[in-house]
Amino acid sequence: MRILILGAGGVGTAAARIAVRRDFYEALVIADYAAARARAIVDELGDDRFTAAEVDASSADSVAALIREHGITHVLNAVDPRFVMPIFDGCFAAGATYLDMAMSLSSRHPERPYELPGVKLGDEQFAQDDRWRDAGRLALVGIGVEPGLSDVFARYAEDELFDEIDELGVRDGANLVVAGYDFAPSFSIWTTIEECLNPPVVYEEGRGWFTTEPFSEPEVFDFPDGIGPVECVNVEHEEVLLMPRWTKAKRVTFKYGLGDEFIEVLKVLNKLGLDRTDKVKVGGVEVSPRDVVAACLPDPATIGDRMTGKTCAGVWVTGKGKDGRPRSTYLYHVADNEHTMREYGSQAVVWQTALNPVIALELLAAGAWGGAGVLGPEAFDAKPFLDLLAAPAPAGYDSPWGMREQ
């Protein structure tokens, strides 16, 4: 296996720091539009298998040329979701297996945005499923933490724990604090704006996918490992578009613990038009307001040493257990910033996101996972993934997951 990681930001860097400890691949190239960023992580790791490169992720031709130059077999897309399609197309053109952690972007319904979906997350990729399947090539989409690990949990719940699932409710919360900043998102603000201000999507059996107002249906969810109660709200996210394709859940939701301050900041950005991606002219220069916001905030990759706390990702499953009795179970994974910084030099949110595609790559290398077409994590056997995640090092990744009866 010869791997290309596209993007040397927080998640791409964390993926490299995790992968350097594994031996399932022959070579790994880290590429970024800023070649110096890619070289910095390669120099830091000091592993002969690693190479740095420059790439224009907005160009499918540039991506394909880099894949061919280095004989790449598997590509991990670790850049903003606006670049999903050129990377996706470049991988197909060059014959490489594709993995991402966020899917192609949505666009709201032109007349009824808070009732009906328009173009849904991943629609552009799923439209090419036949093409990838006919070519015998695999695109594994949504294999970060959310989407990703939560989807693996959903597959495990259906196969091992439940006979009937009423709802798969993804719940994500944290008690992270960044010292010295009044406002410092722990993940890409560009992506956060995209998913939090778009109409959230909900799935219901018999009705299909529909949308609601942003930040709708607030609820307080008690997260484990000392995080505690956090108010969660509906947010647009890929799990709701993935899980119904491969599970029999009657309802699928995604709720994110944002907090009042974060929600208020997002609402203000929206009111001022600073969430827009189309460019405006400022003093003779054209700039995207959302890019300006991102440039004014600290890089999530650089705030780990100022951050304390934990982040939790998981799925709350309700329905009937294997014994036919009502069951309510939360399957989850917690990342402690103190641990991830000490062991990997990456803050908890980006590390937890990066961990899962590396595990997926190892399963693909071993033949435990495989297939053709555009597939989500739910399309694969969950047990090998969860076993490898939790197994002590060096055999596994030494990152146990949890299960709590509600």
Side-chain angles (χ1 to χ4, degrees):
M1 179 180 282
R2 298 178 65 85
I3 302 168
L4 169 62
I5 297 178
L6 286 171
V11 176
T13 296
R17 289 171 177 157
I18 296 165
V20 73
R21 305 185 181 197
R22 314 301 295 182
D23 61 5
F24 63 86
Y25 58 93
E26 173 189 350
L28 193 152
V29 178
I30 305 174
D32 197 276
Y33 74 94
R37 292 209 306 179
R39 284 195 298 271
I41 184 63
V42 169
D43 291 344
E44 172 197 314
L45 297 176
D47 190 305
D48 290 343
R49 296 174 296 171
F50 282 61
T51 306
E54 185 174 353
V55 70
D56 176 5
S58 69
S59 166
D61 290 341
S62 176
V63 172
L66 186 61
I67 291 170
R68 295 185 183 107
E69 178 185 351
H70 292 274
I72 297 299
T73 60
H74 293 71
V75 174
L76 173 57
N77 176 359
V79 299
D80 281 343
R82 59 187 137 168
F83 300 112
V84 161
M85 290 313 297
I87 296 172
F88 185 79
D89 292 339
C91 286
F92 184 85
T97 295
Y98 171 88
L99 297 87
D100 67 28
M101 295 165 277
M103 297 172 66
S104 60
L105 295 174
S106 65
S107 59
R108 59 185 63 195
H109 192 279
E111 285 89 33
R112 298 160 64 187
Y114 304 122
E115 300 174 42
L116 303 174
V119 175
K120 301 187 298 299
L121 292 169
D123 274 358
E124 288 185 81
Q125 291 168 285
F126 283 119
Q128 297 192 34
D129 177 53
D130 288 345
R131 183 186 185 206
W132 282 75
R133 193 178 303 276
D134 291 346
R137 297 176 191 164
L138 172 64
L140 173 47
V141 297
I143 187 61
V145 60
E146 290 186 338
L149 181 55
S150 55
D151 303 75
V152 173
F153 284 145
R155 173 81 274 148
Y156 182 81
E158 181 157 295
D159 291 347
E160 305 291 336
L161 307 177
F162 286 78
D163 268 346
E164 185 177 306
I165 294 178
D166 293 329
E167 180 169 346
L168 292 169
V170 184
R171 298 294 183 267
D172 183 341
N175 61 357
L176 296 168
V177 176
V178 183
Y181 291 101
D182 290 332
F183 185 74
S186 56
F187 204 70
S188 163
I189 189 62
W190 201 100
T191 304
T192 302
I193 289 172
E194 182 73 20
E195 62 191 23
C196 291
L197 291 179
N198 279 346
V201 182
V202 176
Y203 174 84
E204 288 184 358
E205 184 181 66
R207 182 176 178 181
W209 288 290
F210 62 94
T211 55
T212 70
E213 294 273 355
F215 316 121
S216 58
E217 299 182 2
E219 68 176 46
V220 175
F221 189 83
D222 188 14
F223 288 92
D225 280 16
I227 296 174
V230 178
E231 185 177 75
C232 298
V233 293
N234 278 329
V235 169
E236 180 193 49
H237 231 253
E238 286 90 344
E239 293 92 329
V240 180
L241 287 314
L242 288 169
M243 290 177 180
R245 298 175 187 269
W246 289 283
T247 75
K248 298 183 179 66
K250 297 174 184 177
R251 178 176 166 90
V252 183
T253 58
F254 179 95
K255 292 189 179 183
Y256 192 13
L258 294 172
D260 291 341
E261 181 187 23
F262 206 122
I263 290 174
E264 188 58 35
V265 168
L266 292 173
K267 287 181 177 178
V268 170
L269 291 175
N270 177 249
K271 285 180 181 179
L272 297 177
L274 294 174
D275 59 323
R276 292 165 52 191
T277 58
D278 51 311
K279 293 183 178 181
V280 298
K281 187 169 287 188
V282 182
V285 177
E286 289 192 340
V287 294
S288 159
R290 193 185 298 185
D291 287 342
V292 173
V293 172
C296 290
L297 292 171
D299 182 347
T302 67
I303 61 175
D305 58 349
R306 293 172 173 262
M307 184 185 294
T308 56
K310 300 176 182 178
T311 183
C312 178
V315 61
W316 179 14
V317 190
T318 56
K320 291 182 180 178
K322 293 295 184 182
D323 59 1
R325 300 173 62 188
R327 184 169 186 176
S328 176
T329 307
Y330 184 57
L331 296 91
Y332 65 91
H333 181 262
V334 172
D336 186 331
N337 192 73
E338 180 183 356
H339 169 78
T340 63
M341 286 298 297
R342 182 181 65 249
E343 295 296 324
Y344 292 90
S346 292
Q347 53 103 324
V349 176
V350 297
W351 179 88
Q352 191 184 41
T353 304
L355 175 65
N356 302 287
V358 178
I359 294 174
L361 285 165
E362 184 158 347
L363 292 173
L364 291 170
W369 279 14
V374 181
L375 302 177
E378 302 88 344
F380 303 89
D381 184 3
K383 200 167 185 309
F385 188 104
L386 295 176
D387 287 347
L388 193 56
L389 171 68
Y397 287 75
D398 201 19
S399 191
W401 54 281
M403 186 165 63
R404 182 184 69 187
E405 299 304 318
Q406 298 289 90

